[in-house]
Amino acid sequence: MANTILVGAQWGDEGKGKIIDVLTESADVVVRYAGGNNAGHTVIVNGRKSVLHLIPSGILRKNKLCVIGNGVVCDPLGLVHEMEGLAKHGIKVTPKNFVLSETAHVVLPYHRELDSQREVIKGKNKIGTTKRGIGPAYGDKAARVGLRIADLVDSAKLKEKLSARIKENNIVLKSLGAKPLSFKKVFAEYDKAGRFLKPFVQNTVVLLHHAIRRGEDILFEGAQGTFLDIDHGTYPFVTSSNTTAGGACTGSGVPPHRMDRVVGVMKAYTTRVGEGPLPTENQEISDLLHGMGREFGATTGRARRCGWFDSVATRHATMVNGIDDLAVTNLDGLDTVETIKVCIAYRHGKKRYDYVPNDAAILAQCEPVYAEFEGWRTPTDKCKSWKQLPPKARAYLKAIAELTGAKLYIASVGPGREQTIFV
Ligand code: GDP
Ligand code: IMO
Ligand code: MG
């Protein structure tokens, strides 16, 4: 399969987990390179649903090595909880199939508390974060005051560093009117998690380069989406990491010339959870999808905002990520729609945009210019091949791939593994 970076081409929740699970069949190693347990990747195998937050979605296949790379911020309590959850479903996570980078940063309770407090202070300008402490954890990393996994699994280091960080953060928390943290309690919990995780911790950069030398194929599992990227997203309504393809290199230690291709995952429509501009947002399609019980967040349960497919955004994503191949998911979500709209440009006053403007305030004022497609109005969820898809659905898929500027590779017509059409 060669080394493949898989990214979300929209605002997250594109169905990356499902596509990762499908592509893992022909990979040896799956690596998460950015984000933390703000992600929620849904995989449905034989009707059973698993939602992965930190552990790569490749874990559901046997004999695959799953790696959390250095670019991830890891909440150890969340990770242990996730491992226990998988064990209950008979999926054993052992040092043979799961490895954690010693240089990944640790999410601590003061990060979560600060995340929540900052949202309160922002009031109506809030980001709508997942409150998992992601922003403050990456903030500490950049400020060089973060704890890394290597510190977590060494009790003496953890004690020293955590005590200093709790002292400083308690001053901030108190000034915000929040309850200070007890060092003793936090240390006990995190030291316990550190002892549990120690056997999984390795130098993952060296490990990945050894895998490459053995000729193994690596799949890089992106989290979030292009427009949640800290540099390329709709700042400040973004997450705090580089979710785009470049993040796969910095977040894993595998250099650009070892990457062979980029797969972009996008829904056949658009969704976003949290605040910030969404030019094609539309009540009719929101009501339709929510009415079908779809489009509720896998991490926070919040209803996702829904809209028509935005090819200005996905074309921009192709440019920023270098997307070669496209996986279009949730085609079946449009099965009942009479007339399907696709945004082909934005209008802002007299200006017409064919790329996504950097200023979120301008983007919020952009009016979509739509092209219309006739709906196929036939169920697609049982279609097994390109030929079985209704001609109007094929035309729609071809058109959105062409507008996006990459090759149509996969069409997904349901959440299950088997509901996947290779084009
Ligand atoms: P991720 O964060 O990108 O992995 O996406 P999520 O798991 O948060 O959200 C995608 C949702 O769409 C999940 O509920 C998936 O089970 C579901 N899904 C993925 N592909 C398809 C599809 O082709 N059809 C349908 N009906 N659901 C899909
Ligand atoms: P996956 O990997 C969709 C959004 C949040 C919020 C913003 C910042 O499942 O696609 P954060 O907690 O990261 O500081 O929140 O980013 N967000 C996501 N939206 N899918 C995700 O991950 C997301 N991870 C973060 O809703 O708007
Ligand atoms: Mg998700």
Side-chain angles (χ1 to χ4, degrees), residues 6 8 12-19 39-44 49-52 57 221-224 265 267 269 292 294-299 304 328-333 381 411-416 419:
L6 181 140
D13 301 330
E14 295 91 347
K16 299 177 295 293
K18 176 197 156 153
I19 303 298
H41 296 176
T42 314
V43 184
I44 298 183
K49 175 167 152 178
S50 307
V51 181
L52 286 314
S57 308
E221 175 172 349
Q224 289 78 52
V265 185
K267 279 177 176 148
Y269 46 90
M292 291 157 88
R294 298 162 73 136
E295 301 308 344
F296 293 92
T299 295
R304 295 175 184 149
V328 181
T329 68
N330 287 274
L331 181 72
D332 54 305
D381 60 321
S412 169
V413 293
Q419 291 168 300

mmCIF file of all heavy atoms in Angstrom, residues 6 8 12-19 39-44 49-52 57 221-224 265 267 269 292 294-299 304 328-333 381 411-416 419, ligand 1:
data_model
loop_
_atom_site.group_PDB
_atom_site.id
_atom_site.type_symbol
_atom_site.label_atom_id
_atom_site.label_comp_id
_atom_site.label_asym_id
_atom_site.label_seq_id
_atom_site.Cartn_x
_atom_site.Cartn_y
_atom_site.Cartn_z
ATOM 1 N N LEU A 6 -3.565 9.837 5.747
ATOM 2 C CA LEU A 6 -5.008 10.026 5.578
ATOM 3 C C LEU A 6 -5.432 11.248 6.388
ATOM 4 O O LEU A 6 -5.157 11.321 7.581
ATOM 5 C CB LEU A 6 -5.754 8.768 6.031
ATOM 6 C CG LEU A 6 -7.278 8.841 5.883
ATOM 7 C CD1 LEU A 6 -7.827 7.506 5.390
ATOM 8 C CD2 LEU A 6 -7.929 9.203 7.208
ATOM 9 N N GLY A 8 -8.542 14.459 7.065
ATOM 10 C CA GLY A 8 -9.908 14.946 6.883
ATOM 11 C C GLY A 8 -9.848 16.185 6.014
ATOM 12 O O GLY A 8 -9.034 17.071 6.258
ATOM 13 N N GLY A 12 -13.547 17.929 10.173
ATOM 14 C CA GLY A 12 -13.531 16.796 11.101
ATOM 15 C C GLY A 12 -14.740 15.908 10.907
ATOM 16 O O GLY A 12 -15.696 16.272 10.214
ATOM 17 N N ASP A 13 -14.682 14.692 11.484
ATOM 18 C CA ASP A 13 -15.805 13.741 11.445
ATOM 19 C C ASP A 13 -16.203 13.346 10.033
ATOM 20 O O ASP A 13 -17.375 13.089 9.738
ATOM 21 C CB ASP A 13 -17.037 14.320 12.193
ATOM 22 C CG ASP A 13 -16.727 14.623 13.648
ATOM 23 O OD1 ASP A 13 -15.869 13.923 14.217
ATOM 24 O OD2 ASP A 13 -17.333 15.541 14.207
ATOM 25 N N GLU A 14 -15.242 13.285 9.149
ATOM 26 C CA GLU A 14 -15.523 12.948 7.749
ATOM 27 C C GLU A 14 -15.754 11.454 7.554
ATOM 28 O O GLU A 14 -16.158 11.021 6.464
ATOM 29 C CB GLU A 14 -14.352 13.393 6.857
ATOM 30 C CG GLU A 14 -14.112 14.907 6.797
ATOM 31 C CD GLU A 14 -13.136 15.382 7.852
ATOM 32 O OE1 GLU A 14 -12.833 14.609 8.786
ATOM 33 O OE2 GLU A 14 -12.671 16.531 7.750
ATOM 34 N N GLY A 15 -15.428 10.658 8.598
ATOM 35 C CA GLY A 15 -15.500 9.197 8.466
ATOM 36 C C GLY A 15 -14.098 8.601 8.344
ATOM 37 O O GLY A 15 -13.914 7.512 7.784
ATOM 38 N N LYS A 16 -13.128 9.321 8.906
ATOM 39 C CA LYS A 16 -11.723 8.856 8.835
ATOM 40 C C LYS A 16 -11.567 7.486 9.478
ATOM 41 O O LYS A 16 -10.866 6.619 8.961
ATOM 42 C CB LYS A 16 -10.785 9.868 9.528
ATOM 43 C CG LYS A 16 -10.796 11.250 8.883
ATOM 44 C CD LYS A 16 -9.929 12.226 9.641
ATOM 45 C CE LYS A 16 -10.418 12.535 11.025
ATOM 46 N NZ LYS A 16 -11.700 13.276 11.102
ATOM 47 N N GLY A 17 -12.225 7.296 10.642
ATOM 48 C CA GLY A 17 -12.084 6.030 11.373
ATOM 49 C C GLY A 17 -12.493 4.852 10.503
ATOM 50 O O GLY A 17 -11.791 3.846 10.411
ATOM 51 N N LYS A 18 -13.620 4.995 9.830
ATOM 52 C CA LYS A 18 -14.098 3.908 8.964
ATOM 53 C C LYS A 18 -13.097 3.628 7.847
ATOM 54 O O LYS A 18 -12.777 2.468 7.563
ATOM 55 C CB LYS A 18 -15.472 4.265 8.359
ATOM 56 C CG LYS A 18 -15.870 3.168 7.391
ATOM 57 C CD LYS A 18 -16.934 3.442 6.403
ATOM 58 C CE LYS A 18 -16.682 2.472 5.250
ATOM 59 N NZ LYS A 18 -17.851 2.120 4.498
ATOM 60 N N ILE A 19 -12.608 4.681 7.208
ATOM 61 C CA ILE A 19 -11.702 4.483 6.065
ATOM 62 C C ILE A 19 -10.347 3.945 6.551
ATOM 63 O O ILE A 19 -9.743 3.092 5.885
ATOM 64 C CB ILE A 19 -11.557 5.798 5.249
ATOM 65 C CG1 ILE A 19 -12.936 6.291 4.775
ATOM 66 C CG2 ILE A 19 -10.626 5.598 4.052
ATOM 67 C CD1 ILE A 19 -13.694 5.356 3.835
ATOM 68 N N ALA A 39 -10.561 13.791 19.428
ATOM 69 C CA ALA A 39 -10.997 13.006 18.277
ATOM 70 C C ALA A 39 -11.970 11.911 18.709
ATOM 71 O O ALA A 39 -11.904 11.418 19.832
ATOM 72 C CB ALA A 39 -9.790 12.362 17.597
ATOM 73 N N GLY A 40 -12.848 11.559 17.788
ATOM 74 C CA GLY A 40 -13.734 10.417 18.010
ATOM 75 C C GLY A 40 -13.887 9.726 16.670
ATOM 76 O O GLY A 40 -14.515 10.274 15.771
ATOM 77 N N HIS A 41 -13.243 8.584 16.515
ATOM 78 C CA HIS A 41 -13.245 7.880 15.232
ATOM 79 C C HIS A 41 -14.091 6.615 15.353
ATOM 80 O O HIS A 41 -13.760 5.711 16.121
ATOM 81 C CB HIS A 41 -11.807 7.551 14.805
ATOM 82 C CG HIS A 41 -10.979 8.788 14.557
ATOM 83 N ND1 HIS A 41 -9.654 8.757 14.254
ATOM 84 C CD2 HIS A 41 -11.322 10.096 14.567
ATOM 85 C CE1 HIS A 41 -9.205 9.998 14.086
ATOM 86 N NE2 HIS A 41 -10.204 10.831 14.288
ATOM 87 N N THR A 42 -15.169 6.575 14.609
ATOM 88 C CA THR A 42 -16.119 5.468 14.722
ATOM 89 C C THR A 42 -15.783 4.363 13.720
ATOM 90 O O THR A 42 -15.601 4.640 12.541
ATOM 91 C CB THR A 42 -17.552 5.967 14.434
ATOM 92 O OG1 THR A 42 -17.754 7.184 15.147
ATOM 93 C CG2 THR A 42 -18.594 4.939 14.830
ATOM 94 N N VAL A 43 -15.725 3.150 14.231
ATOM 95 C CA VAL A 43 -15.496 1.996 13.363
ATOM 96 C C VAL A 43 -16.582 0.968 13.678
ATOM 97 O O VAL A 43 -16.822 0.666 14.851
ATOM 98 C CB VAL A 43 -14.103 1.371 13.608
ATOM 99 C CG1 VAL A 43 -13.850 0.234 12.639
ATOM 100 C CG2 VAL A 43 -12.995 2.419 13.465
ATOM 101 N N ILE A 44 -17.231 0.465 12.647
ATOM 102 C CA ILE A 44 -18.271 -0.542 12.877
ATOM 103 C C ILE A 44 -17.857 -1.828 12.174
ATOM 104 O O ILE A 44 -17.682 -1.846 10.955
ATOM 105 C CB ILE A 44 -19.647 -0.037 12.398
ATOM 106 C CG1 ILE A 44 -20.014 1.212 13.231
ATOM 107 C CG2 ILE A 44 -20.714 -1.125 12.523
ATOM 108 C CD1 ILE A 44 -21.360 1.815 12.952
ATOM 109 N N LYS A 49 -20.102 -1.358 17.220
ATOM 110 C CA LYS A 49 -19.516 -0.027 17.084
ATOM 111 C C LYS A 49 -18.407 0.197 18.109
ATOM 112 O O LYS A 49 -18.581 -0.076 19.294
ATOM 113 C CB LYS A 49 -20.651 0.987 17.293
ATOM 114 C CG LYS A 49 -20.227 2.431 17.311
ATOM 115 C CD LYS A 49 -21.466 3.300 17.212
ATOM 116 C CE LYS A 49 -21.239 4.634 17.892
ATOM 117 N NZ LYS A 49 -22.390 5.510 17.779
ATOM 118 N N SER A 50 -17.275 0.695 17.659
ATOM 119 C CA SER A 50 -16.211 1.136 18.567
ATOM 120 C C SER A 50 -15.894 2.584 18.234
ATOM 121 O O SER A 50 -15.852 2.956 17.061
ATOM 122 C CB SER A 50 -14.930 0.329 18.363
ATOM 123 O OG SER A 50 -15.192 -1.050 18.434
ATOM 124 N N VAL A 51 -15.718 3.409 19.263
ATOM 125 C CA VAL A 51 -15.294 4.789 19.027
ATOM 126 C C VAL A 51 -13.897 4.950 19.626
ATOM 127 O O VAL A 51 -13.695 4.775 20.827
ATOM 128 C CB VAL A 51 -16.282 5.799 19.664
ATOM 129 C CG1 VAL A 51 -15.818 7.230 19.383
ATOM 130 C CG2 VAL A 51 -17.685 5.609 19.093
ATOM 131 N N LEU A 52 -12.945 5.237 18.760
ATOM 132 C CA LEU A 52 -11.548 5.400 19.201
ATOM 133 C C LEU A 52 -11.244 6.888 19.379
ATOM 134 O O LEU A 52 -11.633 7.694 18.530
ATOM 135 C CB LEU A 52 -10.579 4.823 18.167
ATOM 136 C CG LEU A 52 -10.418 3.300 18.021
ATOM 137 C CD1 LEU A 52 -10.271 2.634 19.390
ATOM 138 C CD2 LEU A 52 -11.516 2.649 17.237
ATOM 139 N N SER A 57 -7.298 3.682 14.807
ATOM 140 C CA SER A 57 -8.446 2.841 14.439
ATOM 141 C C SER A 57 -8.020 1.497 13.855
ATOM 142 O O SER A 57 -8.856 0.610 13.665
ATOM 143 C CB SER A 57 -9.337 3.582 13.435
ATOM 144 O OG SER A 57 -9.658 4.862 13.938
ATOM 145 N N GLU A 221 -2.781 8.168 10.487
ATOM 146 C CA GLU A 221 -4.198 8.460 10.749
ATOM 147 C C GLU A 221 -4.373 9.895 11.217
ATOM 148 O O GLU A 221 -4.086 10.230 12.365
ATOM 149 C CB GLU A 221 -4.737 7.487 11.818
ATOM 150 C CG GLU A 221 -6.169 7.801 12.248
ATOM 151 C CD GLU A 221 -6.773 6.729 13.155
ATOM 152 O OE1 GLU A 221 -6.166 5.640 13.283
ATOM 153 O OE2 GLU A 221 -7.852 6.969 13.724
ATOM 154 N N GLY A 222 -4.853 10.735 10.315
ATOM 155 C CA GLY A 222 -5.126 12.111 10.699
ATOM 156 C C GLY A 222 -6.313 12.181 11.641
ATOM 157 O O GLY A 222 -7.210 11.346 11.595
ATOM 158 N N ALA A 223 -6.299 13.178 12.505
ATOM 159 C CA ALA A 223 -7.457 13.455 13.349
ATOM 160 C C ALA A 223 -7.930 14.866 13.016
ATOM 161 O O ALA A 223 -7.226 15.627 12.352
ATOM 162 C CB ALA A 223 -7.084 13.359 14.819
ATOM 163 N N GLN A 224 -9.132 15.185 13.431
ATOM 164 C CA GLN A 224 -9.762 16.462 13.096
ATOM 165 C C GLN A 224 -9.800 16.639 11.560
ATOM 166 O O GLN A 224 -9.812 15.654 10.855
ATOM 167 C CB GLN A 224 -9.036 17.633 13.780
ATOM 168 C CG GLN A 224 -9.254 17.695 15.287
ATOM 169 C CD GLN A 224 -8.435 16.704 16.093
ATOM 170 O OE1 GLN A 224 -7.227 16.624 15.947
ATOM 171 N NE2 GLN A 224 -9.071 15.969 16.961
ATOM 172 N N VAL A 265 -10.276 12.340 3.137
ATOM 173 C CA VAL A 265 -11.622 11.822 3.405
ATOM 174 C C VAL A 265 -12.581 13.003 3.505
ATOM 175 O O VAL A 265 -12.280 14.001 4.158
ATOM 176 C CB VAL A 265 -11.666 11.012 4.725
ATOM 177 C CG1 VAL A 265 -13.038 10.381 4.924
ATOM 178 C CG2 VAL A 265 -10.589 9.940 4.733
ATOM 179 N N LYS A 267 -17.043 13.986 3.512
ATOM 180 C CA LYS A 267 -18.428 13.538 3.396
ATOM 181 C C LYS A 267 -19.005 14.051 2.091
ATOM 182 O O LYS A 267 -18.506 15.038 1.544
ATOM 183 C CB LYS A 267 -19.254 14.125 4.548
ATOM 184 C CG LYS A 267 -19.105 13.367 5.859
ATOM 185 C CD LYS A 267 -19.889 14.028 6.969
ATOM 186 C CE LYS A 267 -19.817 13.202 8.237
ATOM 187 N NZ LYS A 267 -19.872 14.045 9.442
ATOM 188 N N TYR A 269 -21.524 15.629 1.938
ATOM 189 C CA TYR A 269 -22.072 16.938 2.328
ATOM 190 C C TYR A 269 -21.065 17.511 3.324
ATOM 191 O O TYR A 269 -19.913 17.049 3.338
ATOM 192 C CB TYR A 269 -23.497 16.775 2.906
ATOM 193 C CG TYR A 269 -23.633 15.656 3.914
ATOM 194 C CD1 TYR A 269 -23.422 15.868 5.271
ATOM 195 C CD2 TYR A 269 -23.933 14.345 3.503
ATOM 196 C CE1 TYR A 269 -23.535 14.830 6.190
ATOM 197 C CE2 TYR A 269 -24.050 13.308 4.411
ATOM 198 C CZ TYR A 269 -23.843 13.560 5.761
ATOM 199 O OH TYR A 269 -23.939 12.541 6.659
ATOM 200 N N MET A 292 -32.656 11.444 10.768
ATOM 201 C CA MET A 292 -32.267 10.052 10.507
ATOM 202 C C MET A 292 -31.417 9.515 11.664
ATOM 203 O O MET A 292 -30.895 8.396 11.594
ATOM 204 C CB MET A 292 -31.424 9.987 9.215
ATOM 205 C CG MET A 292 -32.191 10.289 7.936
ATOM 206 S SD MET A 292 -31.072 10.851 6.609
ATOM 207 C CE MET A 292 -30.586 9.316 5.882
ATOM 208 N N ARG A 294 -28.560 10.786 12.549
ATOM 209 C CA ARG A 294 -27.151 10.902 12.179
ATOM 210 C C ARG A 294 -26.609 12.260 12.586
ATOM 211 O O ARG A 294 -27.341 13.173 12.883
ATOM 212 C CB ARG A 294 -27.011 10.772 10.659
ATOM 213 C CG ARG A 294 -27.460 9.441 10.151
ATOM 214 C CD ARG A 294 -27.725 9.526 8.680
ATOM 215 N NE ARG A 294 -26.494 9.617 7.915
ATOM 216 C CZ ARG A 294 -26.259 8.924 6.811
ATOM 217 N NH1 ARG A 294 -27.152 8.083 6.371
ATOM 218 N NH2 ARG A 294 -25.148 9.073 6.162
ATOM 219 N N GLU A 295 -25.278 12.320 12.558
ATOM 220 C CA GLU A 295 -24.568 13.577 12.764
ATOM 221 C C GLU A 295 -24.687 14.134 14.181
ATOM 222 O O GLU A 295 -25.023 15.290 14.418
ATOM 223 C CB GLU A 295 -24.963 14.617 11.707
ATOM 224 C CG GLU A 295 -24.681 14.142 10.281
ATOM 225 C CD GLU A 295 -23.250 13.630 10.060
ATOM 226 O OE1 GLU A 295 -22.357 13.897 10.886
ATOM 227 O OE2 GLU A 295 -23.022 12.924 9.055
ATOM 228 N N PHE A 296 -24.421 13.226 15.126
ATOM 229 C CA PHE A 296 -24.226 13.634 16.517
ATOM 230 C C PHE A 296 -22.786 13.264 16.877
ATOM 231 O O PHE A 296 -22.311 12.187 16.524
ATOM 232 C CB PHE A 296 -25.237 12.956 17.446
ATOM 233 C CG PHE A 296 -26.648 13.434 17.176
ATOM 234 C CD1 PHE A 296 -27.468 12.761 16.285
ATOM 235 C CD2 PHE A 296 -27.119 14.600 17.770
ATOM 236 C CE1 PHE A 296 -28.750 13.216 15.992
ATOM 237 C CE2 PHE A 296 -28.404 15.073 17.484
ATOM 238 C CZ PHE A 296 -29.222 14.379 16.595
ATOM 239 N N GLY A 297 -22.078 14.186 17.539
ATOM 240 C CA GLY A 297 -20.638 14.048 17.780
ATOM 241 C C GLY A 297 -20.262 12.746 18.477
ATOM 242 O O GLY A 297 -20.946 12.319 19.412
ATOM 243 N N ALA A 298 -19.172 12.098 18.023
ATOM 244 C CA ALA A 298 -18.728 10.832 18.596
ATOM 245 C C ALA A 298 -17.987 11.048 19.917
ATOM 246 O O ALA A 298 -17.847 10.125 20.714
ATOM 247 C CB ALA A 298 -17.820 10.106 17.601
ATOM 248 N N THR A 299 -17.546 12.279 20.199
ATOM 249 C CA THR A 299 -16.814 12.539 21.435
ATOM 250 C C THR A 299 -17.701 13.228 22.468
ATOM 251 O O THR A 299 -17.730 12.852 23.629
ATOM 252 C CB THR A 299 -15.558 13.397 21.132
ATOM 253 O OG1 THR A 299 -14.694 12.615 20.315
ATOM 254 C CG2 THR A 299 -14.805 13.788 22.397
ATOM 255 N N ARG A 304 -24.104 17.871 15.253
ATOM 256 C CA ARG A 304 -23.213 18.546 14.298
ATOM 257 C C ARG A 304 -24.023 19.490 13.424
ATOM 258 O O ARG A 304 -25.168 19.189 13.081
ATOM 259 C CB ARG A 304 -22.516 17.513 13.416
ATOM 260 C CG ARG A 304 -21.579 16.612 14.202
ATOM 261 C CD ARG A 304 -20.998 15.520 13.315
ATOM 262 N NE ARG A 304 -20.173 14.604 14.093
ATOM 263 C CZ ARG A 304 -20.018 13.313 13.826
ATOM 264 N NH1 ARG A 304 -20.632 12.770 12.799
ATOM 265 N NH2 ARG A 304 -19.238 12.573 14.574
ATOM 266 N N VAL A 328 -14.941 9.390 -0.409
ATOM 267 C CA VAL A 328 -16.176 10.149 -0.135
ATOM 268 C C VAL A 328 -17.092 9.265 0.695
ATOM 269 O O VAL A 328 -17.458 8.162 0.276
ATOM 270 C CB VAL A 328 -16.886 10.564 -1.443
ATOM 271 C CG1 VAL A 328 -18.147 11.356 -1.137
ATOM 272 C CG2 VAL A 328 -15.951 11.367 -2.340
ATOM 273 N N THR A 329 -17.441 9.738 1.875
ATOM 274 C CA THR A 329 -18.276 8.929 2.775
ATOM 275 C C THR A 329 -19.695 9.489 2.833
ATOM 276 O O THR A 329 -19.953 10.593 2.357
ATOM 277 C CB THR A 329 -17.708 8.910 4.213
ATOM 278 O OG1 THR A 329 -17.845 10.216 4.772
ATOM 279 C CG2 THR A 329 -16.249 8.482 4.231
ATOM 280 N N ASN A 330 -20.560 8.697 3.440
ATOM 281 C CA ASN A 330 -21.929 9.134 3.731
ATOM 282 C C ASN A 330 -22.725 9.541 2.485
ATOM 283 O O ASN A 330 -23.612 10.376 2.563
ATOM 284 C CB ASN A 330 -21.909 10.299 4.743
ATOM 285 C CG ASN A 330 -21.567 9.824 6.143
ATOM 286 O OD1 ASN A 330 -22.436 9.405 6.891
ATOM 287 N ND2 ASN A 330 -20.298 9.850 6.493
ATOM 288 N N LEU A 331 -22.391 8.921 1.378
ATOM 289 C CA LEU A 331 -23.163 9.188 0.153
ATOM 290 C C LEU A 331 -24.638 8.883 0.424
ATOM 291 O O LEU A 331 -25.533 9.615 -0.012
ATOM 292 C CB LEU A 331 -22.648 8.301 -0.995
ATOM 293 C CG LEU A 331 -23.368 8.519 -2.313
ATOM 294 C CD1 LEU A 331 -22.979 9.854 -2.935
ATOM 295 C CD2 LEU A 331 -23.114 7.385 -3.284
ATOM 296 N N ASP A 332 -24.889 7.802 1.182
ATOM 297 C CA ASP A 332 -26.259 7.366 1.478
ATOM 298 C C ASP A 332 -27.062 8.429 2.227
ATOM 299 O O ASP A 332 -28.289 8.393 2.205
ATOM 300 C CB ASP A 332 -26.231 6.047 2.265
ATOM 301 C CG ASP A 332 -25.361 6.152 3.515
ATOM 302 O OD1 ASP A 332 -24.173 6.526 3.383
ATOM 303 O OD2 ASP A 332 -25.863 5.906 4.619
ATOM 304 N N GLY A 333 -26.380 9.381 2.863
ATOM 305 C CA GLY A 333 -27.082 10.459 3.578
ATOM 306 C C GLY A 333 -27.892 11.326 2.638
ATOM 307 O O GLY A 333 -28.828 12.010 3.063
ATOM 308 N N ASP A 381 -27.232 2.152 0.161
ATOM 309 C CA ASP A 381 -26.470 1.478 1.223
ATOM 310 C C ASP A 381 -26.185 -0.001 0.949
ATOM 311 O O ASP A 381 -25.336 -0.606 1.603
ATOM 312 C CB ASP A 381 -27.151 1.667 2.589
ATOM 313 C CG ASP A 381 -28.552 1.095 2.628
ATOM 314 O OD1 ASP A 381 -29.280 1.226 1.610
ATOM 315 O OD2 ASP A 381 -28.920 0.504 3.656
ATOM 316 N N ALA A 411 -15.915 5.207 -2.507
ATOM 317 C CA ALA A 411 -17.229 5.768 -2.185
ATOM 318 C C ALA A 411 -17.788 4.908 -1.059
ATOM 319 O O ALA A 411 -17.823 3.683 -1.161
ATOM 320 C CB ALA A 411 -18.133 5.721 -3.406
ATOM 321 N N SER A 412 -18.179 5.555 0.025
ATOM 322 C CA SER A 412 -18.683 4.817 1.178
ATOM 323 C C SER A 412 -20.183 5.039 1.281
ATOM 324 O O SER A 412 -20.654 6.174 1.249
ATOM 325 C CB SER A 412 -17.944 5.298 2.431
ATOM 326 O OG SER A 412 -18.572 4.808 3.583
ATOM 327 N N VAL A 413 -20.926 3.931 1.408
ATOM 328 C CA VAL A 413 -22.394 4.017 1.388
ATOM 329 C C VAL A 413 -23.028 3.549 2.703
ATOM 330 O O VAL A 413 -24.218 3.304 2.769
ATOM 331 C CB VAL A 413 -22.967 3.218 0.194
ATOM 332 C CG1 VAL A 413 -22.584 3.877 -1.124
ATOM 333 C CG2 VAL A 413 -22.484 1.765 0.211
ATOM 334 N N GLY A 414 -22.207 3.432 3.730
ATOM 335 C CA GLY A 414 -22.707 3.031 5.042
ATOM 336 C C GLY A 414 -21.539 2.942 5.996
ATOM 337 O O GLY A 414 -20.376 2.939 5.563
ATOM 338 N N PRO A 415 -21.824 2.869 7.288
ATOM 339 C CA PRO A 415 -20.738 2.885 8.267
ATOM 340 C C PRO A 415 -19.933 1.578 8.352
ATOM 341 O O PRO A 415 -18.824 1.568 8.870
ATOM 342 C CB PRO A 415 -21.454 3.159 9.592
ATOM 343 C CG PRO A 415 -22.861 2.702 9.366
ATOM 344 C CD PRO A 415 -23.156 2.907 7.910
ATOM 345 N N GLY A 416 -20.478 0.489 7.827
ATOM 346 C CA GLY A 416 -19.808 -0.812 7.958
ATOM 347 C C GLY A 416 -18.662 -0.990 6.979
ATOM 348 O O GLY A 416 -18.626 -0.339 5.931
ATOM 349 N N GLN A 419 -19.564 -1.814 3.441
ATOM 350 C CA GLN A 419 -20.282 -0.789 2.654
ATOM 351 C C GLN A 419 -19.294 0.190 2.014
ATOM 352 O O GLN A 419 -19.408 1.403 2.155
ATOM 353 C CB GLN A 419 -21.283 -0.060 3.557
ATOM 354 C CG GLN A 419 -22.444 -0.973 3.975
ATOM 355 C CD GLN A 419 -23.276 -0.373 5.077
ATOM 356 O OE1 GLN A 419 -22.785 -0.086 6.164
ATOM 357 N NE2 GLN A 419 -24.555 -0.155 4.807
HETATM 358 P P1 GDP B 1 -14.118 10.569 12.041
HETATM 359 O O1 GDP B 1 -13.916 11.431 13.234
HETATM 360 O O2 GDP B 1 -13.650 11.240 10.795
HETATM 361 O O3 GDP B 1 -13.561 9.201 12.205
HETATM 362 O O4 GDP B 1 -15.693 10.436 11.856
HETATM 363 P P2 GDP B 1 -16.755 10.094 13.028
HETATM 364 O O5 GDP B 1 -16.636 8.679 13.407
HETATM 365 O O6 GDP B 1 -16.673 11.106 14.118
HETATM 366 O O7 GDP B 1 -18.122 10.421 12.273
HETATM 367 C C1 GDP B 1 -18.446 9.800 11.076
HETATM 368 C C2 GDP B 1 -19.788 9.103 11.257
HETATM 369 O O8 GDP B 1 -20.227 8.655 10.014
HETATM 370 C C3 GDP B 1 -19.702 7.869 12.126
HETATM 371 O O9 GDP B 1 -20.899 7.713 12.804
HETATM 372 C C4 GDP B 1 -19.504 6.741 11.108
HETATM 373 O O10 GDP B 1 -19.944 5.483 11.591
HETATM 374 C C5 GDP B 1 -20.376 7.234 10.013
HETATM 375 N N1 GDP B 1 -20.025 6.823 8.660
HETATM 376 C C6 GDP B 1 -18.826 6.783 8.040
HETATM 377 N N2 GDP B 1 -18.976 6.500 6.728
HETATM 378 C C7 GDP B 1 -20.298 6.374 6.527
HETATM 379 C C8 GDP B 1 -21.117 6.138 5.372
HETATM 380 O O11 GDP B 1 -20.625 6.009 4.247
HETATM 381 N N3 GDP B 1 -22.458 6.081 5.575
HETATM 382 C C9 GDP B 1 -23.036 6.217 6.798
HETATM 383 N N4 GDP B 1 -24.353 6.113 6.905
HETATM 384 N N5 GDP B 1 -22.306 6.470 7.881
HETATM 385 C C10 GDP B 1 -20.967 6.563 7.740
#
